[in-house]
Structure formats: structure tokens, C-alpha cells
Amino acid sequence: MKRDDELEEQIQAAAALIAEADSLLITAGAGMGIDSGLPDFRGDNGFWKAYPALGDRRMRFYDIANPLAFEQAPSLAWGFYGHRLSLYRQTRPHVGFGQLLDLAARMPNSAFVFTSNVDGQFQRAGFHQDRVVECHGSIHWLQCSCSCGQAPWPADGFVPDVDMQTCSLRSDYPSCPSCGRLARPNILMFGDWEWDSIRVDRQKSRLDAWLARIERPVVLEIGAGIAIPTVRECGESLDCPLIRLNPVDAEVGLRRDI
């Protein structure tokens, strides 16, 4: 009962912070997508459960979410990312996205999103594309795997056909419209020195401009882990209160934070 009382106090304190704010910065990690039915890749077992064909090869998430995979095994790499692209296109955002939109609508300066998720769920839920930073890129955009100078382009015309028994692409590979070479997702992968960050750089510039004109922001962090702390560090770096929603790693460093 004591724990329930403490949680209720924290909820009321969080509600008071939101009521006093003139703007909301939503920082979201992978935990935000779980309730939409998206797979959880935390740990090898969770990854292999989602992609058993890669588990049979003892491939880890690091091995396939890597630009080298597109050089050494493009059919397998595009089998993995092609399936994710199809899955994210079909997934409907859960009701929590709508609740965040409602909160944003009450704010004098609305809301901005900073997310490490590449699934495009915030835009699909109704957040304007100019109010979202996708710090690790987006699976809905492609780039040239050879860095020929072509700017990233939408993946709308690519409809992957994937054999899930082997996790391999059966349809044609997407290709660069400039040089004709293999295209890859415009996503920051592990050991990725060729990622084209131009879209994200522009998104961050819009976020910086928004932050410069607001006065009483509050950060609402949802489902952001500590293994890759980019999202957590974004909210913690601002001089404003932070509300952290996390069933595992909810600790905060400052007394004002919840």
C-alpha cells in the first residue's frame, strides 16, 4: 500500500509539472513501441525469438544491424530490414500516442519529440514531421550504400518480399537513383561511418530553434534505456524538470525530477 501511495504522489506531482509548463519535450526510446506490438530486441534471446532464422545462424542484433551486413550478406540484411519496414508500415500506434497529442494540444508552445526509434510511429500517430527528431534515422528513408552523394530519399516505392524461414529478401534490392548501387536504410547502425545524417541534422536544428523560444518546458521521457543513453542524455541536458516513465530504470538524479 505504501508503494501505491508513493506512486500516486509522483503521478500527481508529474501532472502539476505538466500543468505549469508552456511546452512539452517528449523523449522516447524503444519501450514506447512495445505496446503497439513491435518486437523487443533487448538481449539475444528476444532478438532470436523475433528472427529465429538469424538465431539459427547465431547472429546477434549487432551483426545484422551493421553496414558490413549489406556488403557481406545483402539478401540477409535486407531480409531483416525489409521485414521491419513492412511491420512498421502495418503497425498502428497505441493509444498512448493519442494521449501525448492531447497533452501537446493544451500547451501554448505545443510539443516536440526526440526519439531513438526508427519506426515512424510518432508521425503516423499525428505528430507533425517538423516536430520530430529521429536521432538514429528512419527506416522509411533510404540512402546509397556507397556514399555517392545522393541525398536520402523516401522508401515509399520499395515493397519488400521476405522469406521469413530464411530471413532473406526475395524481391529486388532497392537501388540508388543516382549511381544504381545497393541502397540501405537511412539508419545509424553499429560501426556506421557512412550514415548520412543530413535529415537528422535538419531535425535537430528545428528542435534547437524551438527550445530557444520556449520558457517553461518539461521533459516527458518514455521507455528510454541506459545501454545506449542518447535519449536519456537529451532530456537530462536541459535546464528543466524531467518526468521519467520506465518500469526498470526509473531513477533520476535531481530532486526536482520525477
Side-chain angles (χ1 to χ4, degrees):
M1 182 63 69
K2 181 179 179 181
R3 174 59 181 163
D4 290 342
D5 291 342
E6 291 176 353
L7 182 59
E8 182 61 29
E9 288 180 5
Q10 292 178 321
I11 290 172
Q12 294 302 322
L17 285 178
I18 293 172
E20 295 167 0
D22 73 342
S23 48
L24 181 68
L25 177 60
I26 301 161
T27 59
M32 185 64 187
I34 300 302
D35 285 344
S36 294
L38 298 177
D40 182 0
F41 296 149
R42 286 176 297 182
D44 289 339
N45 289 331
F47 173 61
W48 291 336
K49 182 179 179 180
Y51 293 93
L54 299 181
D56 292 343
R57 296 169 179 256
R58 308 306 291 178
M59 293 186 73
R60 301 164 297 165
F61 181 57
Y62 174 92
D63 298 321
I64 199 68
N66 193 307
L68 282 176
F70 285 88
E71 295 180 21
Q72 299 172 352
S75 178
L76 206 61
W78 260 123
F80 171 64
Y81 278 102
H83 173 261
R84 289 180 68 190
L85 175 59
S86 296
L87 176 65
Y88 296 164
R89 283 172 172 170
Q90 297 165 9
T91 300
R92 296 181 61 183
H94 60 72
V95 296
F97 288 92
Q99 293 171 332
L100 292 175
L101 279 170
D102 290 342
L103 283 179
R106 302 175 200 168
M107 297 283 182
N109 291 305
S110 191
F112 220 107
V113 175
F114 184 97
T115 181
S116 59
N117 299 336
V118 302
D119 50 35
Q121 288 273 288
F122 278 98
Q123 293 93 323
R124 186 163 190 181
F127 284 86
H128 195 281
Q129 62 180 359
D130 289 345
R131 287 293 183 97
V132 180
V133 176
E134 298 160 299
C135 66
H136 291 166
S138 170
I139 201 168
H140 301 288
W141 287 74
L142 302 175
Q143 72 172 72
C144 180
S145 62
C146 300
S147 302
C148 73
Q150 167 68 42
W153 66 95
D156 298 349
F158 175 47
V159 182
D161 177 17
V162 177
D163 181 349
M164 284 305 295
Q165 289 189 332
T166 60
C167 193
S168 58
L169 186 71
R170 289 186 288 222
S171 51
D172 293 337
Y173 299 125
S175 59
C176 174
S178 291
C179 70
R181 295 181 181 179
L182 180 69
R184 48 158 279 191
N186 183 224
I187 291 174
L188 178 61
M189 305 180 193
F190 293 99
D192 195 351
W193 303 108
E194 303 299 327
W195 178 53
D196 190 333
S197 66
I198 187 171
R199 286 189 64 251
V200 175
D201 293 340
R202 290 170 178 166
Q203 291 174 338
K204 289 180 178 178
S205 293
R206 289 193 288 267
L207 172 59
D208 289 341
W210 180 78
L211 289 171
R213 66 174 182 265
I214 60 178
E215 296 180 355
R216 301 185 312 281
V218 63
V219 175
L220 181 56
E221 179 195 292
I222 306 171
I226 59 176
I228 301 177
T230 311
V231 171
R232 293 171 78 102
E233 290 174 350
C234 173
E236 290 172 347
S237 69
L238 302 179
D239 185 20
C240 68
L242 180 147
I243 302 165
R244 172 165 286 150
L245 276 67
N246 195 305
V248 179
D249 299 306
E251 294 80 8
V252 292
L254 299 178
R255 182 173 294 182
R256 71 182 182 194
D257 297 335
I258 298 174

